[in-house]
């Protein structure tokens, strides 16, 4: 059969219009499923299989349209069907109505779904999405395996933070929810985020099962999956989890963005465990625990001397008491990762301890300009403007920036309170303490209160010209 004759035969059998009608109806079904499935919290995989099923059905429908004539009230083989101009006209009209109606409905649903998604996803002024990765629960029989979940949480934080379209809440804030069970909407409100990644880890023998979910600030599950790995490759799954979460939010990534989700080097599990233990000690906010944290970070570096994360942590803690060591470790960390916020903060601290305040300011301001999210550098700037180059308005600005990026970091909350106290904005100090009362320990609260009382006494003395009360404080 020649091409021209074949085309005419396709038209006579209405195969082309039948195909267009099928695509229009399939589009409607897909748009309806896109809107309805999330309401019943049905996993996204069902939508993918629906699209596959519709795609498989397309060639089958074309074959049926070629073989059979679906006339009004009967189904006959096309070669046996009589050629009736009136029947053909009615069939053409019916198919046209299906095509036009289907396309109209599909376009309306597409616009509705797009509008719904645009109103569901809240972007920041810079066009980025905010999300937090909650600590992964340990469901293993052995409670000592808790470090595995903490390590996966840490890797997810780093991977997702490398995506320019995301603003990721920092580790100290999300670790506040390790033992605290609160509703997702409340967590999102406190952290100022639109999305939460949560999950669990279970290790049985040489097999590890990890589950992960992405939920909205309304506690709607947007995505969920599980990963099984064997042979002790504990951290290999993090790239898959990060890539799938990214796909849910952005639908597609540029090749360069996908590359940042792949770990460039594997981390020794024991080094990861030691770093996690160091982080726990650091979070205790005492000088004794700080020394223990430094010991754990140093042990991790003995196993993996080229690990920029452990270098940055140790550099930051060392810079306060041993600026030379902190500066040296920070330089090495920055050679491995030029965007390490904590390493730049360590350099700033080292220069503060050298009493090179202008140089410290220049280093830190350059870092916050070049790194998209740099809470530790902002916090160090706040410290600089509070205690070394007094400018309390600047101190508050940088303390607020640090807290915006890491809202429940106790060090940052304390720095915010200090700046407000020095600015004599006492009511705001009280409000801050009330808002964060679930997360602030007694020692931090007492420390802030003592400073506030001292400042109040100073204000009272200044107004009365009687400084005896202030001197007693």
């Amino acid at each position: 059969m020649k091409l021209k004759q074949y085309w005419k035969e396709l038209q006579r059998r209405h195969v082309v219009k039948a195909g267009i009608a099928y695509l229009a109806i399939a589009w409607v079904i897909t748009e309806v499923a896109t809107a309805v499935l999330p309401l019943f919290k049905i996993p996204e995989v069902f939508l993918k299989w629906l699209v596959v099923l519709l795609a498989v059905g397309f060639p089958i429908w074309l074959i049926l349209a070629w073989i059979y004539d679906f006339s009004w009230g009967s189904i006959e083989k096309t070669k046996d069907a009589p050629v009736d101009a009136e029947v053909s006209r009615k069939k053409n009209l019916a198919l046209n109505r299906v095509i036009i109606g289907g396309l109209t409905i599909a376009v309306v649903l597409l616009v509705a779904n797009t509008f719904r998604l645009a109103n569901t996803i809240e972007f920041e002024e810079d066009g980025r999405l905010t999300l937090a990765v909650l600590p992964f629960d340990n469901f293993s029989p052995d409670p000592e395996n808790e470090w595995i979940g903490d390590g996966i949480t840490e890797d997810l934080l780093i991977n997702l933070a490398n995506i320019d379209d995301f603003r990721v809440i920092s580790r100290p804030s999300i670790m506040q929810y390790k033992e605290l069970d609160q509703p997702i909407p409340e967590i999102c409100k406190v952290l100022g985020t639109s999305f939460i990644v949560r999950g669990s880890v279970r290790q049985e023998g040489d097999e590890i099962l990890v589950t992960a979910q992405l939920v909205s600030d309304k506690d709607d599950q947007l995505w969920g999956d599980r990963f099984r790995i064997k042979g002790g490759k504990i951290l290999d799954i993090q790239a898959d989890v990060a890539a799938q979460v990214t796909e849910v939010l952005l639908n597609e990534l540029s090749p360069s963005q996908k590359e940042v989700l792949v770990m460039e080097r594997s981390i020794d599990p024991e080094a990861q465990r030691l770093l996690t233990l160091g982080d726990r000690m650091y979070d205790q906010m005492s000088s004794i625990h700080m020394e223990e944290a430094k010991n754990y970070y140093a042990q991790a570096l003995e196993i993996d001397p080229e690990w920029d994360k452990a270098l940055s942590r140790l550099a930051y803690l060392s810079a306060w008491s041993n600026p030379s060591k902190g500066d040296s470790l920070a330089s090495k960390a920055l050679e491995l990762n030029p965007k390490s916020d904590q390493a730049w903060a360590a350099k700033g601290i080292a220069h503060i301890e050298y009493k090179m305040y202008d140089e410290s300011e220049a280093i830190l301001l350059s870092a916050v300009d070049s790194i998209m999210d740099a809470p530790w550098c902002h916090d160090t700037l706040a410290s600089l403007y509070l205690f070394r180059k007094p400018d309390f308005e600047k101190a508050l600005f940088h303390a607020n920036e640090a807290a915006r990026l890491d809202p429940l970091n106790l060090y940052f909350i304390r720095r915010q309170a200090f700046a407000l106290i020095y600015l004599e904005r006492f009511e705001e100090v009280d409000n801050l303490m009330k808002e964060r009362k679930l997360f602030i320990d007694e020692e931090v609260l007492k420390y802030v209160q003592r400073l506030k009382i001292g400042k109040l006494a100073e204000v009272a003395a200044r107004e009365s010209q009687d400084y005896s009360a202030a001197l007693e404080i």
Side-chain angles (χ1 to χ4, degrees):
M1 184 183 294
K2 293 182 180 179
L3 183 61
K4 190 174 182 180
Q5 291 177 321
Y6 180 67
W7 178 250
K8 286 184 177 180
E9 187 64 17
L10 285 174
Q11 289 178 315
R12 184 181 79 82
R13 295 169 182 256
H14 305 287
V15 174
V16 176
K17 286 191 174 181
I20 297 173
Y22 181 93
L23 292 175
I25 297 300
W27 189 7
V28 171
I29 292 171
T30 303
E31 290 297 334
V32 170
T34 301
V36 171
L37 290 181
L39 296 177
F40 297 97
K41 297 188 177 181
I42 297 174
E44 188 182 342
V45 68
F46 283 91
L47 180 60
K48 293 179 180 179
W49 280 110
L50 176 62
V51 173
V52 171
L53 184 63
L54 291 170
V56 170
F58 182 62
I60 297 174
W61 172 253
L62 294 180
I63 293 170
L64 291 173
W66 174 272
I67 297 174
Y68 294 101
D69 180 72
F70 297 90
S71 300
W72 301 108
S74 65
I75 299 176
E76 304 177 38
K77 283 192 174 182
T78 303
K79 63 180 181 181
D80 298 329
V83 179
D84 188 319
E86 182 61 20
V87 171
S88 181
R89 186 187 69 79
K90 286 183 178 180
K91 185 174 181 181
N92 263 323
L93 182 61
L95 286 171
N96 286 340
R97 286 173 176 170
V98 171
I99 293 170
I100 294 171
L103 289 175
T104 301
I105 294 171
V107 170
V108 170
L109 288 171
L110 177 62
V111 172
N113 281 336
T114 303
F115 182 78
R116 175 179 61 83
L117 186 61
N119 282 275
T120 299
I121 299 179
E122 296 183 5
F123 293 86
E124 292 198 0
E125 292 181 1
D126 57 6
R128 295 195 296 160
L129 295 170
T130 59
L131 60 89
V133 182
L134 294 185
F136 275 46
D137 295 321
N138 176 38
F139 290 158
S140 303
D142 185 357
E144 292 298 320
N145 288 335
E146 188 175 9
W147 68 272
I148 299 175
D150 289 347
I152 292 173
T153 303
E154 181 79 27
D155 283 322
L156 280 171
L157 285 170
I158 293 172
N159 272 11
L160 294 173
N162 282 334
I163 306 301
D164 291 340
D165 301 278
F166 292 157
R167 179 175 75 83
V168 183
I169 303 299
S170 298
R171 188 197 69 83
S173 286
I174 61 99
M175 293 307 287
Q176 294 279 4
Y177 291 98
K178 191 168 181 63
E179 305 295 338
L180 186 62
D181 186 17
Q182 282 197 312
I184 290 297
E186 183 64 25
I187 295 174
C188 289
K189 181 180 178 181
V190 171
L191 296 179
T193 183
S194 305
F195 299 96
I196 293 288
V197 180
R198 62 185 178 186
S200 63
V201 179
R202 179 188 297 274
Q203 183 177 26
E204 294 181 351
D206 66 342
E207 183 176 72
I208 295 176
L209 172 65
V210 179
T211 63
Q213 295 177 327
L214 176 71
V215 295
S216 71
D217 54 3
K218 296 178 177 60
D219 204 11
D220 295 326
Q221 180 175 322
L222 305 177
W223 164 84
D225 208 342
R226 59 178 56 193
F227 307 83
R228 288 183 181 274
I229 51 176
K230 290 186 176 183
K233 295 183 179 179
I234 294 169
L235 302 177
D236 286 352
I237 64 151
Q238 54 84 36
D240 292 333
V241 175
Q244 291 200 41
V245 174
T246 303
E247 183 181 1
V248 171
L249 294 178
L250 302 179
N251 294 322
E252 60 179 357
L253 292 173
S254 67
S256 61
Q257 285 178 308
K258 284 184 179 178
E259 287 172 5
V260 302
L261 296 177
V262 180
M263 285 191 70
E264 296 180 0
R265 57 195 295 274
S266 60
I267 304 299
D268 186 281
E270 178 61 13
Q272 178 67 72
R273 187 183 73 84
L274 290 166
L275 183 106
T276 302
L277 291 173
D279 289 341
R280 290 181 191 170
M281 292 298 104
Y282 177 75
D283 292 340
Q284 300 300 312
M285 298 186 71
S286 74
S287 57
I288 295 175
H289 289 110
M290 293 295 179
E291 289 303 315
E292 291 185 33
K294 286 196 283 188
N295 288 335
Y296 281 124
Y297 296 147
Q299 290 177 53
L301 286 171
E302 287 177 6
I303 297 172
D304 191 343
E306 301 296 313
W307 193 12
D308 65 283
K309 197 190 305 183
L311 282 165
S312 298
R313 299 275 213 282
L314 186 56
Y316 183 83
L317 288 184
S318 299
W320 294 104
S321 57
N322 189 341
S324 177
K325 179 180 179 181
D327 196 8
S328 175
L329 288 168
S331 296
K332 186 174 181 180
L334 290 169
E335 288 177 8
L336 298 166
N337 180 8
K339 292 187 176 183
S340 173
D341 168 35
Q342 212 163 24
W344 282 115
K347 275 202 161 291
I349 292 166
H351 283 75
I352 289 174
E353 295 302 310
Y354 293 145
K355 301 188 185 307
M356 300 169 65
Y357 304 137
D358 291 340
E359 290 82 352
S360 175
E361 182 182 33
I363 290 169
L364 294 167
L365 288 175
S366 175
V368 298
D369 285 340
S370 61
I371 303 172
M372 191 167 291
D373 294 327
W376 294 101
C377 287
H378 279 296
D379 179 67
T380 307
L381 277 166
S383 176
L384 177 69
Y385 292 131
L386 278 173
F387 307 118
R388 298 293 187 268
K389 293 187 67 175
D391 188 330
F392 301 144
E393 289 291 350
K394 285 184 179 180
L396 181 61
F397 169 80
H398 288 288
N400 287 340
E401 281 298 293
R404 182 179 68 87
L405 297 164
D406 198 350
L408 299 182
N409 186 316
L410 295 182
Y411 294 94
F412 298 173
I413 293 172
R414 187 170 64 179
R415 200 82 71 194
Q416 273 185 299
F418 286 2
L420 289 169
I421 289 170
Y422 281 117
L423 287 168
E424 300 177 11
R425 290 157 62 171
F426 302 115
E427 186 176 346
E428 291 179 53
V429 176
D430 293 337
N431 291 336
L432 177 64
M433 294 297 103
K434 287 177 183 177
E435 289 173 4
R436 299 292 185 253
K437 64 182 179 181
L438 285 176
F439 312 98
I440 300 174
D441 62 29
E442 197 66 25
E443 288 303 312
V444 172
L445 189 58
K446 287 180 180 178
Y447 195 86
V448 170
Q449 286 300 108
R450 282 199 301 269
L451 183 63
K452 177 187 166 186
I453 292 170
K455 191 66 177 177
L456 281 168
E458 180 186 323
V459 171
R462 184 173 67 236
E463 293 176 353
S464 66
Q465 298 298 311
D466 180 4
Y467 290 90
S468 58
L471 290 172
E472 289 179 8
I473 295 294

